[in-house]
Amino acid sequence: QVRFVESGGGLAQPGGSLRLSCATSGIDFETYNVIWFREPPRKRRELVATLTPGIFTSESVNGRFTISRDSAKNTVYLEMNNLKPEDTAVYYCNAASLRLGREHWGQGTRDTVSS
């Protein structure tokens, strides 16, 4: 059974930092690509960062957000620095396998950046 546990969301001030975690079970990082998406209020869900085939972060967060993973813990992280109000969103962990034709979503974690 595939399961994601997302954590680390909350309230931060502009310029502050948050670290999101996505603890996974039931998938392996060789078969699945884990991606962070976010859905700002009243906007479409957008890709934030992915690890494979190469590390990619969207232009809006490039230089501020870092994606990483700990294979021993089956966990993917999103380190978010120099936060801006426009980073306010629900952040989702996604795992997708083109080979298997499967995709799984986490429940989302809400981050609010406000003074």
Side-chain angles (χ1 to χ4, degrees):
Q1 183 179 1
V2 177
R3 185 167 180 256
F4 299 158
V5 178
E6 295 160 330
S7 60
L11 177 65
Q13 293 188 339
S17 299
L18 287 171
R19 187 192 194 205
L20 305 184
S21 300
C22 176
T24 72
S25 59
I27 65 168
D28 66 270
F29 293 145
E30 297 300 318
T31 306
Y32 284 85
N33 182 26
V34 180
I35 307 167
W36 283 102
F37 284 84
R38 70 183 181 185
E39 189 170 316
R42 298 174 296 282
K43 294 185 179 179
R44 296 176 63 180
R45 192 171 296 186
E46 61 185 18
L47 187 149
V48 177
T50 181
L51 278 168
T52 59
I55 294 177
F56 170 82
T57 50
S58 69
E59 186 176 351
S60 61
V61 305
N62 200 25
R64 301 187 297 118
F65 289 14
T66 304
I67 186 172
S68 62
R69 79 180 186 204
D70 184 333
S71 297
K73 296 181 179 179
N74 294 321
T75 299
V76 178
Y77 303 97
L78 185 68
E79 184 79 35
M80 307 187 294
N81 297 312
N82 191 21
L83 286 163
K84 302 177 180 181
E86 52 263 41
D87 295 320
T88 295
V90 177
Y91 285 74
Y92 294 92
C93 183
N94 168 282
S97 171
L98 290 178
R99 182 167 67 85
L100 298 178
R102 295 177 184 171
E103 184 179 37
H104 306 280
W105 289 91
Q107 80 283 0
T109 180
R110 185 177 300 276
D111 296 336
T112 301
V113 183
S114 174
S115 54

